[in-house]
Amino acid sequence: MGKMAAAVSSVATLATEPGEDAFRKLFRFYRQSRPGTADLGGVIDFSAAQAAHGTGPGAHKVVRSQLSVSSVSDHDARRAGLQPVSKWQAYGLRGYPGFIFIPNPFLPGYQWHWVKQCLKLYSQKPNVCNLDKHMTKEETRDLWEQSKEFLRYKDMNKRRPRSLLEKLRWVTLGYHYNWDSKKYSADHYTPFPSDLAFLSEQVAAACGFQGFRAEAGILNYYRLDSTLGIHVDRSELDHSKPLLSFSFGQSAIFLLGGLKRDEAPTAMFMHSGDIMVMSGFSRLLNHAVPKVLPGPQGESLPCCLETPLPAVLPRDSVVEPCSVEDWQVCASYLETARVNMTVRQVLATDQDFPLEPVEENKRDFTAEGFCHLDDKNSQVKRARLNSDS
């Protein structure tokens, strides 16, 4: 309780900048926060034992969420690398109906597959990434092959140039999000990964959204100095379906606000393996990531990533084996990084993209409100997408 009071006091003493709203003030506070100090005393940790017993930071806001256990068989959960839904813990927040937080429901070792897919497979063409803006298709054809030796031996050469994987900031899947028009379109599409679609369908069904279709994904690749600006995910044409978020690697602070940015957000930790679901009222709320937290022992992996993926997998599993060599590359990358997968359904059942351009939303909605990553050393203005810094 003392740490939380100290954190509230620290926020209160932070001077408000001219024109700064409540969300931006908290974003700035956590961006400047120091791990291991009272600065983080007010951040909710759903994975801690206190959350389950109604104690700890923000406990008065935390409620249990009911899952649809019968909607996902234990067999299908295991196929996706998940524990039986009956063993999951799920939480919500008072004042945020439709928000569901599931602390790491993955089976031991199975996160390895999803990390490897983000770095080795999903980053490949024909998927789209931030590097495409400044490099040819040939130069970005296989980021993994061009980067793996750099990452495998990075500790032996601290002065080496960064690999292409380390310069990767985002990848889009399925219906590719257009960062300029802020829209999806029928003619900018590549097949959505079947394994990620299956994982997403199981999580959505467990949260009460049977029939969810994974149609678009945005993968964000964070370095320790990266942030995700305040934004709302409103470009999908069907907002009745949830937004799913999967986190891997180093922990981060997530801020969930209100419909307007003058509402102060709630801060929570996102650890490796954690899943968030934003649906209903919470589907169109402002949110952001102001800070990625370094490992407590410096460049180290979260404990849940130390367990290897089992050598023998279920015959019909969507999860594939991960070699020792491949995991060495992934582990080296994640020692100072975090990867986040967000999956969404773009169209309602039997809905098509409009022939005419959709009229732009009339509400005050600045360029900063769109999903992009910033690094502290970036010189790119917030109105533009940070592509390589």
Side-chain angles (χ1 to χ4, degrees):
M1 193 69 179
K3 284 188 175 181
M4 184 174 180
V8 172
S9 176
S10 298
V11 174
T13 58
L14 183 67
T16 302
E17 295 182 344
E20 187 174 50
D21 54 60
F23 200 128
R24 167 55 58 185
K25 183 176 181 179
L26 264 295
F27 183 96
R28 185 163 58 91
F29 172 78
Y30 284 114
R31 185 183 64 202
Q32 299 170 358
S33 64
R34 297 160 297 167
T37 69
D39 290 352
L40 306 186
V43 183
I44 296 172
D45 191 346
F46 288 102
S47 65
Q50 301 98 299
H53 296 94
T55 61
H60 63 289
K61 290 185 177 181
V62 177
V63 296
R64 288 278 193 171
S65 289
Q66 296 298 315
L67 297 173
S68 181
V69 175
S70 62
S71 296
V72 180
S73 69
D74 292 356
H75 177 75
D76 281 344
R78 184 171 180 80
R79 286 185 63 201
L82 298 165
Q83 299 179 50
V85 178
S86 59
K87 294 185 177 181
W88 298 7
Q89 302 294 321
Y91 302 96
L93 291 170
R94 298 185 196 280
Y96 298 93
F99 175 76
I100 303 172
F101 193 106
I102 305 170
N104 184 14
F106 288 93
L107 289 164
Y110 279 74
Q111 289 186 53
W112 281 28
H113 169 81
W114 300 107
V115 171
K116 184 190 71 172
Q117 295 298 81
C118 288
L119 295 177
K120 184 176 182 178
L121 184 65
Y122 301 158
S123 62
Q124 291 189 23
K125 296 300 170 229
N127 297 330
V128 181
C129 73
N130 61 290
L131 300 176
D132 296 336
K133 189 172 183 179
H134 304 288
M135 303 176 70
T136 66
K137 287 186 177 181
E138 285 301 319
E139 290 174 317
T140 61
R141 182 164 299 281
D142 197 332
L143 303 183
W144 174 271
E145 285 299 320
Q146 297 185 61
S147 304
K148 63 182 184 181
E149 295 305 316
F150 284 92
L151 287 166
R152 190 172 288 141
Y153 302 108
K154 75 173 185 179
D155 292 338
M156 300 173 61
N157 184 8
K158 297 288 187 180
R159 302 174 67 88
R160 65 174 175 81
R162 285 187 301 167
S163 64
L164 290 182
L165 274 180
E166 292 170 295
K167 295 180 180 180
L168 192 62
R169 291 296 173 266
W170 56 261
V171 167
T172 55
L173 310 172
Y175 288 116
H176 296 284
Y177 184 68
N178 187 312
W179 301 92
D180 296 321
S181 67
K182 318 304 180 194
K183 297 176 183 177
Y184 299 95
S185 61
D187 59 356
H188 197 194
Y189 174 85
T190 55
F192 193 92
S194 59
D195 58 347
L196 181 53
F198 185 78
L199 171 68
S200 302
E201 289 160 6
Q202 307 318 303
V203 172
C207 293
F209 295 95
Q210 289 82 4
F212 174 85
R213 300 194 311 274
E215 295 178 327
I218 297 178
L219 313 183
N220 283 323
Y221 299 78
Y222 295 77
R223 309 306 298 171
L224 291 180
D225 58 357
S226 298
T227 65
L228 181 67
I230 306 167
H231 70 284
V232 175
D233 291 282
R234 67 170 83 235
S235 297
E236 295 72 33
L237 300 184
D238 181 15
H239 295 153
S240 69
K241 300 299 186 293
L243 175 71
L244 311 180
S245 172
F246 303 85
S247 295
F248 302 106
Q250 300 301 328
S251 299
I253 297 173
F254 180 79
L255 298 180
L256 180 63
L259 294 171
K260 298 180 180 179
R261 285 175 45 168
D262 58 4
E263 299 177 48
T266 296
M268 64 200 78
F269 290 112
M270 289 187 297
H271 301 303
S272 192
D274 289 350
I275 299 174
M276 290 193 308
V277 178
M278 297 175 67
S279 65
F281 172 80
S282 295
R283 176 65 176 77
L284 295 175
L285 296 183
N286 284 283
H287 53 281
V289 177
K291 193 170 188 71
V292 178
L293 302 166
Q297 282 82 42
E299 295 188 8
S300 60
L301 289 180
C303 294
C304 62
L305 292 176
E306 293 177 354
T307 303
L309 180 66
V312 180
L313 301 170
R315 187 175 60 180
D316 57 350
S317 174
V318 302
V319 174
E320 300 174 350
C322 179
S323 69
V324 173
E325 292 76 15
D326 281 355
W327 183 247
Q328 285 178 342
V329 177
C330 294
S332 176
Y333 177 89
L334 285 184
E335 286 175 350
T336 55
R338 169 180 179 263
V339 179
N340 179 255
M341 310 187 301
T342 58
V343 179
R344 60 287 306 276
Q345 180 172 328
V346 176
L347 300 168
T349 304
D350 298 326
Q351 183 182 21
D352 294 319
F353 287 98
L355 296 177
E356 297 296 326
V358 177
E359 185 180 358
E360 292 297 330
N361 199 308
K362 299 296 185 183
R363 294 176 61 183
D364 181 21
F365 193 43
T366 63
E368 187 182 71
F370 297 106
C371 176
H372 63 277
L373 288 175
D374 286 328
D375 292 338
K376 286 181 181 177
N377 62 352
S378 173
Q379 300 301 311
V380 181
K381 298 297 183 182
R382 283 187 176 274
R384 295 171 53 201
L385 181 67
N386 177 15
S387 59
D388 180 10
S389 60

